[in-house]
Amino acid sequence: MTNTTTAPPAPSAPSAPAGRTSGWIRTPHARPDATARLVCFPHAGGAANAFTALSAGLPEDIELLAVQYPGRQDRRAEPCAEGIAELAAGVAAALASRSDRPLFLLGHSMGALVAFETARLLEEHGRVARLFVSAARPPAQDWEEPDLALVGDEELVAGLRQLGGIPEPLLRDPEIVAEVLRLLRADHRALLRHRCPEGTAVAAPVTVLLAAADPKNSLEQMADWARHTTGGLDLVTLSGGHFSLVERPGESGPILTHHIRADLARAEQVPAPAEASADAPAAAPADASAGEEPLADLVREILLDGLEGRAPKLSTDLTTLEAAAREVMSPDAYAYVAGTAGSGATGRAGREAFARVQLVPRMLRGTHRTDTSVTLFGQRLPVPVLLAPLAAQQVAHPEGETATARAAAAAGVPMVLSTFASRTLEEVAAEAGDGPRWFQLYLPSDRAVGESLVRRAEASGYSAIVVTVDATHLGFRPAELDRGYSPFLRGTGIANFTADPAFRASLPAAADTTATVLRWAQISTDPTLTWADLAWLRRLTRLPLLVKGILHPDDARLALEHGADGVVVSTHGGRQLDGGVPALEALPGVRAAVGPDVPVLLDSGIRTGSDVVKALALGADAVLYGRPYVYGLALDGRRGVEHVLRCLLTDLGLALALTGCASLADAGPGLLFPREPVGAYGTHPLARTTSDAPGSSGTPENGERR
């Protein structure tokens, strides 16, 4: 297939070709009470029965409709279609009477083109909820397919063996082989005639299903589907080869189900009333009263539900979610998310540091309401909590960062998106809507790619850049190493690169999936970074710039001297250096070093609302909240993240009220017992250190949190 400048017109009302008004749709498992229909389009040479196993594995609320092309099986007497547009018109006409429920289209290989053109026809009537495409290059690309009329039978059979999809005993049956080759050649003639220009797009979101071992398709090729949708693109990696979609229904079925149910839930969302349930929390207030909500709404909801025999699906004890998530996550995924460096000493010390800090509440302060809002870089945020940048969230749930973004927006919590996300920054921005969002940057060694990432973040409405400096080398993480597991080397967590024009331009001409991943590994981080590189980044963008991974007061000063607007005190969740100082204990020295007016955030070790109050009392303006929300994502997708955030923010509001704080400004060192514990302002050993590092200004003065 080759590109051209004209596209086949989409008729205003789809109609079937003459003489072909029936027989297009098969229903392997009728589900009359289903809330959605998944329409599946087979590959070249394939038939409707390719999707029987997939249909059997879908839940009762999703009915699968399999497309039967003319010229095969019970339609063998009909001539094969002459073109993709002819197939699309026939299917669109057949689906016209089935628009009473949301339609999701799924095309495999050549079927992806038929599904795409069918979506174009149906969208004139607003009938397509999402398009899934599997093992197929985008419509405008040259598929580089040979004319099979010029290819001998033996060579074609050898190619079929390489791709899989047909059991070997069938390939030894001359009659079956003859029929398969007849259909394959006919369908390829239709494929070779198809033309689609670059600008042709559907409004529906597109989900690309890419098999990791598919010899015909690469990440770079599939990422170009983004040019053919205005509804957003995400990419899901499957295990297996070219026919993974149909050969592994136990893997692909749950992924399709998650997307369909999420889209249906989104379509049903309306502005939440005051009595919103725990499954559909009210959006964060957008007016001047943001951050001043009545306390304990969640507590009341849960207790009232308890009167009717309903308990929360997930525990409200956020410290228990890790154990629960371990039961549902794959061992590889759990090792990646929960693992720490070396012996795990830094991770354990991070939690122990919070346990050592104790709060002394003050009474009768009239805290009927608490104002949890904070202003950072001129932007008022409803809570002093942001979602930390956790990479490759698709390992926890098929929707990954898109589910997290929707949950964060509903809760009014800003999300910090990782460079190593499994969804592109543009897709996440679309899901976040008007919600505040920041972009975390691992500065690549290829500066052109780094600049491109920053420009894309600016264009997509991210309001700050958080550059991480403590991961220029990957930490020694036994949990991952013992399993030989990296999501990135399997194609998950590199979406921002495969969708980036500068990165794609750096790839070899015929780069396959392996070459793409290897190129990512070569340039994704830069172990040669110095403070001069931070100054380069400062000149590149006008967005507020924070440096994440700071523990030493002198490094905090150096960050400011080289252009940073704020710092994030962090141990990377204990994932980098074994035996490092806990972030909470480093916080007071960093605050003293930068003074009261520089935004300082704390990351690593926070689990509860009281933990947030302790961080605020020791000098943080806000915190980054990490692993618990990913455990919620693994347990219940978007709703799981929403549950975690509602619990955390309710706990935070109550902790402030119970310590006598009407606002965050009241959460100072006076809340702590004793008044100056180890690690408080100016008393931490690091805070009294005079460094020989360039730019050091000597022993800092004590400073109060602004």
Side-chain angles (χ1 to χ4, degrees):
M1 185 183 71
T2 55
N3 190 9
T4 187
T5 56
T6 59
S12 57
S15 58
R20 300 185 191 173
T21 57
S22 63
W24 287 89
I25 304 298
R26 304 287 179 271
T27 309
H29 302 89
R31 296 186 173 111
D33 296 327
T35 56
R37 291 187 170 113
L38 176 65
V39 186
C40 297
F41 298 74
H43 55 281
N49 61 1
F51 301 103
T52 301
L54 180 61
S55 174
L58 291 177
E60 289 299 313
D61 57 340
I62 301 174
E63 183 178 61
L64 186 145
L65 308 180
V67 173
Q68 184 77 304
Y69 302 146
R72 63 214 67 210
Q73 295 182 342
D74 57 332
R75 300 188 69 186
R76 195 180 191 286
E78 303 175 43
C80 291
E82 295 295 319
I84 300 297
E86 181 183 342
L87 291 171
V91 179
L95 293 175
S97 62
R98 300 174 186 253
S99 60
D100 56 319
R101 296 166 224 178
L103 290 176
F104 295 79
L105 307 189
L106 165 63
H108 178 65
S109 196
M110 185 194 81
L113 292 184
V114 186
F116 176 78
E117 294 298 337
T118 302
R120 290 182 61 208
L121 296 170
L122 293 177
E123 280 191 342
E124 293 193 354
H125 308 279
R127 295 181 188 149
V128 179
R130 180 175 291 269
L131 173 63
F132 298 94
V133 294
S134 164
R137 295 191 189 186
Q141 279 191 17
D142 186 343
W143 280 36
E144 301 174 357
E145 295 284 344
D147 184 349
L148 297 190
L150 305 177
V151 179
D153 290 358
E154 291 186 3
E155 186 177 349
L156 273 183
V157 172
L160 292 174
R161 281 196 173 95
Q162 180 185 10
L163 287 180
I166 302 178
E168 181 60 30
L170 299 183
L171 290 176
R172 296 196 188 104
D173 187 316
E175 292 185 6
I176 292 177
V177 168
E179 178 66 5
V180 169
L181 297 186
R182 178 185 72 84
L183 294 173
L184 192 60
R185 288 189 168 105
D187 290 346
H188 266 255
R189 284 195 298 272
L191 176 65
L192 291 173
R193 293 188 183 106
H194 189 60
R195 300 291 183 268
C196 180
E198 285 285 349
T200 308
V202 293
V206 173
T207 294
V208 173
L209 306 172
L210 174 63
D214 189 344
K216 296 192 68 174
N217 303 112
S218 70
L219 282 170
E220 181 196 16
Q221 294 161 347
M222 302 290 266
D224 272 348
W225 272 98
R227 304 175 188 272
H228 294 285
T229 173
T230 60
L233 178 84
D234 62 344
L235 189 148
V236 177
T237 303
L238 305 177
S239 57
H242 188 73
F243 285 96
S244 175
L245 173 76
V246 292
E247 290 181 333
R248 299 171 182 253
E251 178 182 2
S252 56
I255 292 173
L256 298 167
T257 299
H258 276 299
H259 277 82
I260 291 170
R261 286 177 170 172
D263 286 343
L264 293 176
R266 232 177 2 255
E268 293 170 358
Q269 282 180 351
V270 295
E275 63 274 12
S277 70
D279 280 341
D287 60 14
S289 63
E292 300 176 4
E293 287 298 278
L295 297 174
D297 279 352
L298 175 61
V299 174
R300 283 191 290 271
E301 288 174 15
I302 291 175
L303 295 180
L304 290 174
D305 283 346
L307 293 176
E308 300 181 14
R310 296 193 302 270
K313 182 176 181 180
L314 304 183
S315 174
T316 58
D317 182 352
L318 302 182
T319 65
T320 69
L321 295 183
E322 178 179 346
R326 186 172 191 170
E327 297 299 315
V328 302
M329 298 175 74
S330 71
D332 286 344
Y334 176 78
Y336 173 73
V337 173
T340 54
S343 67
T346 304
R348 291 192 300 273
R351 289 297 300 139
E352 292 164 0
F354 280 97
R356 286 193 296 271
V357 175
Q358 296 175 307
L359 298 170
V360 181
R362 300 299 304 275
M363 300 298 142
L364 302 180
R365 295 297 183 96
T367 52
H368 173 62
R369 293 172 179 263
T370 56
D371 180 4
T372 59
S373 65
V374 62
T375 299
L376 294 176
F377 309 112
Q379 184 178 30
R380 190 183 185 201
L381 305 179
V383 290
V385 178
L386 299 88
L387 293 190
L390 271 72
Q393 292 181 26
Q394 189 187 324
V395 303
H397 188 276
E399 292 186 68
E401 291 83 359
T402 54
T404 298
R406 292 194 296 273
V413 175
M415 178 180 182
V416 186
L417 180 71
S418 172
T419 297
F420 297 156
S422 46
R423 299 289 185 269
T424 68
L425 59 92
E426 291 85 2
E427 292 161 358
V428 173
E431 296 293 343
D434 295 331
R437 52 192 176 272
W438 295 1
F439 182 67
Q440 177 269 339
L441 177 67
Y442 287 107
L443 192 59
S445 59
D446 186 332
R447 289 295 184 269
V449 176
E451 180 172 356
S452 181
L453 288 169
V454 171
R455 298 299 181 218
R456 289 168 58 199
E458 292 173 332
S460 298
Y462 292 82
S463 56
I465 300 292
V466 181
V467 58
T468 296
V469 297
D470 62 357
T472 54
H473 298 271
L474 185 66
F476 190 82
R477 304 172 188 171
E480 298 169 46
L481 295 174
D482 288 353
R483 302 194 63 83
Y485 179 72
S486 166
F488 311 109
L489 299 184
R490 289 164 171 77
T492 299
I494 64 174
N496 279 321
F497 289 81
T498 57
D500 190 84
F503 178 79
R504 294 201 303 268
S506 72
L507 292 171
D512 58 9
T513 300
T514 300
T516 301
V517 170
L518 289 177
R519 177 60 180 164
W520 170 87
Q522 290 172 348
I523 64 99
S524 57
T525 58
D526 186 356
T528 70
L529 285 180
T530 68
W531 291 111
D533 296 295
L534 180 64
W536 173 83
L537 183 60
R538 171 71 285 166
R539 294 191 296 270
L540 185 63
T541 180
R542 294 184 178 181
L543 290 178
L545 181 63
L546 295 91
V547 176
K548 179 176 178 288
I550 296 297
L551 293 168
H552 199 292
D554 288 345
D555 282 342
R557 297 188 196 95
L558 287 168
L560 299 182
E561 291 173 9
H562 289 85
D565 300 295
V567 296
V568 181
V569 180
S570 172
T571 65
H572 215 101
R575 293 169 65 79
Q576 283 299 99
L577 176 66
D578 192 26
V581 59
L584 188 70
E585 293 190 357
L587 171 63
V590 171
R591 167 54 74 193
V594 301
D597 297 325
V598 174
V600 174
L601 282 71
L602 180 78
D603 171 70
S604 304
I606 294 169
R607 294 294 181 269
T608 69
S610 292
D611 290 342
V612 178
V613 174
K614 293 174 184 180
L616 299 176
L618 285 170
D621 293 296
V623 302
L624 297 183
Y625 194 63
R627 287 186 180 96
Y629 81 78
V630 177
Y631 298 141
L633 178 68
L635 289 164
D636 198 21
R638 171 183 60 83
R639 287 184 174 85
V641 180
E642 289 176 351
H643 172 81
V644 169
L645 293 179
R646 291 197 80 200
C647 289
L648 176 70
L649 299 184
T650 299
D651 190 16
L652 168 60
L654 287 170
L656 285 169
L658 291 171
T659 52
C661 298
S663 70
L664 301 187
D666 296 332
L671 291 181
L672 303 177
F673 179 83
R675 291 294 298 271
E676 291 187 353
V678 174
Y681 294 86
T683 65
H684 192 283
L686 287 179
R688 298 193 297 269
T689 299
T690 302
S691 172
D692 294 329
S696 172
S697 57
T699 304
E701 297 295 327
N702 289 352
E704 293 294 325
R705 185 179 67 84
R706 66 189 184 94

Tab-separated table of all heavy atoms in Angstrom, residues 86 116 184 208 300 305 346 435 458 488 504 576 656 685:
chain	number	residue	atom	x	y	z
A	86	GLU	N	-14.978	-1.031	-0.160
A	86	GLU	CA	-16.150	-1.881	-0.378
A	86	GLU	C	-16.475	-2.681	0.877
A	86	GLU	O	-17.635	-2.800	1.286
A	86	GLU	CB	-15.891	-2.822	-1.554
A	86	GLU	CG	-17.053	-3.741	-1.873
A	86	GLU	CD	-16.728	-4.718	-2.994
A	86	GLU	OE1	-15.752	-4.471	-3.741
A	86	GLU	OE2	-17.443	-5.732	-3.097
A	116	PHE	N	-10.823	0.969	10.358
A	116	PHE	CA	-10.592	2.411	10.281
A	116	PHE	C	-11.563	3.064	9.298
A	116	PHE	O	-12.196	4.080	9.605
A	116	PHE	CB	-9.148	2.673	9.870
A	116	PHE	CG	-8.806	4.125	9.656
A	116	PHE	CD1	-8.570	4.965	10.728
A	116	PHE	CD2	-8.718	4.652	8.372
A	116	PHE	CE1	-8.255	6.313	10.538
A	116	PHE	CE2	-8.395	5.988	8.169
A	116	PHE	CZ	-8.168	6.817	9.253
A	184	LEU	N	-6.053	-15.267	0.626
A	184	LEU	CA	-4.948	-14.366	0.937
A	184	LEU	C	-4.602	-13.490	-0.261
A	184	LEU	O	-4.421	-12.270	-0.134
A	184	LEU	CB	-3.736	-15.184	1.375
A	184	LEU	CG	-2.569	-14.425	2.005
A	184	LEU	CD1	-2.998	-13.698	3.267
A	184	LEU	CD2	-1.425	-15.383	2.313
A	208	VAL	N	-3.580	1.061	20.143
A	208	VAL	CA	-2.748	0.201	19.305
A	208	VAL	C	-2.293	-0.989	20.148
A	208	VAL	O	-1.755	-0.816	21.241
A	208	VAL	CB	-1.527	0.976	18.767
A	208	VAL	CG1	-0.582	0.034	18.029
A	208	VAL	CG2	-1.982	2.095	17.840
A	300	ARG	N	-18.262	9.562	56.437
A	300	ARG	CA	-19.722	9.461	56.562
A	300	ARG	C	-20.297	8.543	55.493
A	300	ARG	O	-21.180	7.721	55.763
A	300	ARG	CB	-20.348	10.851	56.486
A	300	ARG	CG	-20.205	11.655	57.774
A	300	ARG	CD	-21.064	12.903	57.743
A	300	ARG	NE	-20.543	13.883	56.797
A	300	ARG	CZ	-19.647	14.809	57.114
A	300	ARG	NH1	-19.172	14.870	58.355
A	300	ARG	NH2	-19.219	15.676	56.214
A	305	ASP	N	-22.999	3.632	54.114
A	305	ASP	CA	-23.066	2.439	53.271
A	305	ASP	C	-23.052	1.179	54.133
A	305	ASP	O	-23.695	0.172	53.812
A	305	ASP	CB	-21.891	2.402	52.291
A	305	ASP	CG	-22.086	3.343	51.119
A	305	ASP	OD1	-23.224	3.806	50.924
A	305	ASP	OD2	-21.095	3.610	50.404
A	346	THR	N	17.402	2.016	52.582
A	346	THR	CA	16.927	3.391	52.397
A	346	THR	C	15.411	3.444	52.434
A	346	THR	O	14.819	4.341	53.041
A	346	THR	CB	17.444	3.973	51.073
A	346	THR	OG1	18.867	3.885	51.057
A	346	THR	CG2	17.031	5.423	50.918
A	435	GLY	N	-7.122	19.908	34.565
A	435	GLY	CA	-6.401	19.663	35.806
A	435	GLY	C	-4.940	20.040	35.695
A	435	GLY	O	-4.318	19.854	34.648
A	458	GLU	N	5.458	21.801	27.032
A	458	GLU	CA	4.957	23.178	27.000
A	458	GLU	C	3.684	23.271	26.177
A	458	GLU	O	2.695	23.897	26.589
A	458	GLU	CB	6.030	24.101	26.417
A	458	GLU	CG	7.257	24.280	27.291
A	458	GLU	CD	8.357	25.063	26.592
A	458	GLU	OE1	8.426	25.021	25.331
A	458	GLU	OE2	9.163	25.707	27.281
A	488	PHE	N	10.920	-1.541	30.310
A	488	PHE	CA	11.346	-0.701	29.191
A	488	PHE	C	11.923	-1.538	28.045
A	488	PHE	O	11.658	-1.270	26.870
A	488	PHE	CB	12.373	0.317	29.674
A	488	PHE	CG	11.939	1.038	30.912
A	488	PHE	CD1	12.544	0.793	32.131
A	488	PHE	CD2	10.895	1.939	30.874
A	488	PHE	CE1	12.136	1.435	33.288
A	488	PHE	CE2	10.471	2.592	32.021
A	488	PHE	CZ	11.094	2.334	33.229
A	504	ARG	N	12.494	9.609	16.732
A	504	ARG	CA	12.275	8.803	15.527
A	504	ARG	C	13.292	9.151	14.448
A	504	ARG	O	13.756	8.283	13.702
A	504	ARG	CB	10.853	9.002	15.006
A	504	ARG	CG	9.777	8.470	15.940
A	504	ARG	CD	8.471	8.223	15.194
A	504	ARG	NE	7.993	9.406	14.525
A	504	ARG	CZ	7.144	10.277	15.053
A	504	ARG	NH1	6.692	10.063	16.278
A	504	ARG	NH2	6.728	11.324	14.381
A	576	GLN	N	17.361	3.945	44.525
A	576	GLN	CA	18.644	4.250	43.901
A	576	GLN	C	19.838	3.870	44.780
A	576	GLN	O	20.582	2.973	44.461
A	576	GLN	CB	18.686	5.736	43.507
A	576	GLN	CG	17.886	6.046	42.244
A	576	GLN	CD	18.414	5.306	41.028
A	576	GLN	OE1	17.873	4.280	40.637
A	576	GLN	NE2	19.496	5.805	40.440
A	656	LEU	N	-5.018	17.706	59.989
A	656	LEU	CA	-4.840	19.148	60.196
A	656	LEU	C	-5.815	19.658	61.259
A	656	LEU	O	-5.441	20.401	62.176
A	656	LEU	CB	-5.046	19.898	58.885
A	656	LEU	CG	-3.918	19.801	57.860
A	656	LEU	CD1	-4.363	20.365	56.513
A	656	LEU	CD2	-2.670	20.550	58.346
A	685	PRO	N	22.954	17.193	60.975
A	685	PRO	CA	24.386	17.342	60.696
A	685	PRO	C	24.676	17.942	59.332
A	685	PRO	O	25.579	18.760	59.182
A	685	PRO	CB	24.913	15.913	60.810
A	685	PRO	CG	23.978	15.236	61.756
A	685	PRO	CD	22.636	15.832	61.492
